[in-house]
């Protein structure tokens, strides 16, 4: 997959992508990430990318000409018809389902704004979709672009080993993760749950699913309400809710 990021701070992108799973995805050629700096598309001596907002008010707005020129330069390196996404708090929420959609594309452009944002006409002319990573305000689109690249990269074929399939991730099943433990067996007086030492893999799988269902129900009921769960997960959830209705408010 090829991704191009339009950003005033290319080293923020290239620097962060050198590490871990994403770094290896790039090294192995399964992912390629390029950058395009709108400042390289200015013509004045000061290389000006921002200007005052029409209508007044605080802050500056990204000038349209360098932004659109950078978007066009980045588009020329991507496969025809690649999706052009801008990161902003005004966008549709980024989810694991959207990560899966984007991971199926051959080419993707991510446009990161700064200041108060881009001139709306650049969005009209050069952007297909606006995506938000959550309801909080950041000072630029680079961190959201990195979050999106990370979530997408680990879904690309061959990026996670067989032993760490992304299919196995809790969120793929619509549930939060279960608790994890490693050695030692007792740490600061706290024991690893006995079932995990039992060697009974069927019991371990059942325990993990029960933990995932319980944590999701306790912490994020919105994730399971009105959603189809795998039958065993649904059965566990029904048990929890029945116990609650009986006045058993054990939150352990
Ligand atoms: N939240 N999710 C977000 C954001 C702020 C461009 C400068 C978010 O995606 N982006 O908070 N972006 C940026 C947007 C102009 C401020």
């Amino acid at each position: 997959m090829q991704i191009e990021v339009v950003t005033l701070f290319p080293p923020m992108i290239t620097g962060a992508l050198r590490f871990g799973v994403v770094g290896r995805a790039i090294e192995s050629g399964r992912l390629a990430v390029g950058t395009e700096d709108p400042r390289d598309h200015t013509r004045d001596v000061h290389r000006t990318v921002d200007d005052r907002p029409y209508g007044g008010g605080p802050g500056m707005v990204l000038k349209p000409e360098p932004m659109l020129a950078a978007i066009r330069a980045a588009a020329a390196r991507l496969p025809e018809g690649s999706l052009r996404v801008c990161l902003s708090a005004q966008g549709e929420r980024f989810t694991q389902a959207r990560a899966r959609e984007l991971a199926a594309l051959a080419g993707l452009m991510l446009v990161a704004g700064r200041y108060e944002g881009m001139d709306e006409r650049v969005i009209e002319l050069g952007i297909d979709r606006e995506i938000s990573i959550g309801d909080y305000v950041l000072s630029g689109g680079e961190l959201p672009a990195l979050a999106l690249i990370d979530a997408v990269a680990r879904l690309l074929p061959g990026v996670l080993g067989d032993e760490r399939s992304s299919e196995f991730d809790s969120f793929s099943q619509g549930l939060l993760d279960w608790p994890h433990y490693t050695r030692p067996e007792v740490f600061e007086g706290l024991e690893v749950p006995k079932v995990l030492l039992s060697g009974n893999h069927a019991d371990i799988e059942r325990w993990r699913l029960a933990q995932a269902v319980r944590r999701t129900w306790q912490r994020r009921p919105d994730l399971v309400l009105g959603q189809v769960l795998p039958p065993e997960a649904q059965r566990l959830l029904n048990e929890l809710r029945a116990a609650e209705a009986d006045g058993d408010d054990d939150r352990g």
Side-chain angles (χ1 to χ4, degrees):
M1 178 180 197
Q2 192 184 347
I3 300 180
E4 292 289 337
V5 185
V6 174
T7 170
L8 286 167
F9 303 114
M12 256 187 98
I13 302 297
T14 54
L17 296 179
R18 298 205 322 261
F19 304 94
V21 165
V22 181
R24 280 193 296 281
I26 293 171
E27 261 179 43
S28 69
R30 291 177 172 94
L31 173 68
V33 181
T35 58
E36 189 67 36
D37 186 345
R39 214 175 282 282
D40 293 336
H41 297 271
T42 55
R43 295 158 179 281
D44 64 311
V45 280
H46 302 292
R47 312 227 297 160
T48 311
V49 292
D50 61 333
D51 203 347
R52 291 169 302 160
Y54 273 120
M60 299 291 269
V61 175
L62 283 164
K63 289 169 62 65
E65 302 90 337
M67 283 309 293
L68 197 60
I71 288 170
R72 287 179 173 150
R77 290 196 296 270
L78 287 168
E80 193 83 31
S82 294
L83 193 70
R84 298 163 304 175
V85 169
C86 144
L87 289 311
S88 91
Q90 282 71 50
E92 49 181 315
R93 177 64 62 82
F94 187 58
T95 60
Q96 191 64 26
R98 295 227 195 297
R100 274 185 228 113
E101 281 175 37
L102 297 181
L105 303 174
L108 175 64
M109 187 190 309
L110 300 174
V111 181
R114 281 274 154 175
Y115 308 105
E116 300 307 308
M118 299 193 288
D119 185 299
E120 193 64 23
R121 294 164 295 184
V122 173
I123 298 169
E124 270 181 56
L125 294 168
I127 297 295
D128 302 309
R129 274 165 80 175
E130 285 183 76
I131 292 182
S132 164
I133 62 160
D135 293 337
Y136 35 80
V137 184
L138 301 170
S139 51
E142 287 80 7
L143 289 172
L146 287 167
L148 189 150
I149 291 170
D150 190 288
V152 167
R154 56 197 300 293
L155 299 176
L156 298 176
V159 167
L160 297 185
D162 306 342
E163 70 284 356
R164 284 186 62 210
S165 147
S166 60
E167 277 306 292
F168 207 66
D169 287 345
S170 278
F171 247 115
S172 296
Q173 310 167 39
L175 296 171
L176 300 182
D177 210 354
W178 52 73
H180 302 275
Y181 297 88
T182 186
R183 294 184 295 179
E185 217 175 293
V186 183
F187 179 67
E188 305 247 330
L190 299 180
E191 291 179 10
V192 173
K194 281 284 171 291
V195 61
L196 299 179
L197 311 174
S198 70
N200 185 328
H201 293 292
D203 279 358
I204 290 169
E205 229 179 281
R206 271 192 297 274
W207 180 84
R208 285 179 169 163
L209 182 62
Q211 290 290 313
V213 168
R214 184 166 74 165
R215 280 180 11 155
T216 309
W217 179 238
Q218 285 170 354
R219 301 179 188 189
R220 292 293 307 279
D222 59 298
L223 291 179
V224 290
L225 286 171
Q227 196 172 210
V228 245
L229 291 177
E232 177 67 0
Q234 187 62 55
R235 192 187 61 74
L236 288 161
L237 177 61
N238 294 344
E239 271 180 27
L240 279 177
R241 300 185 66 176
E244 267 179 30
D246 283 356
D248 173 359
D249 64 352
D250 175 22
R251 302 266 151 186

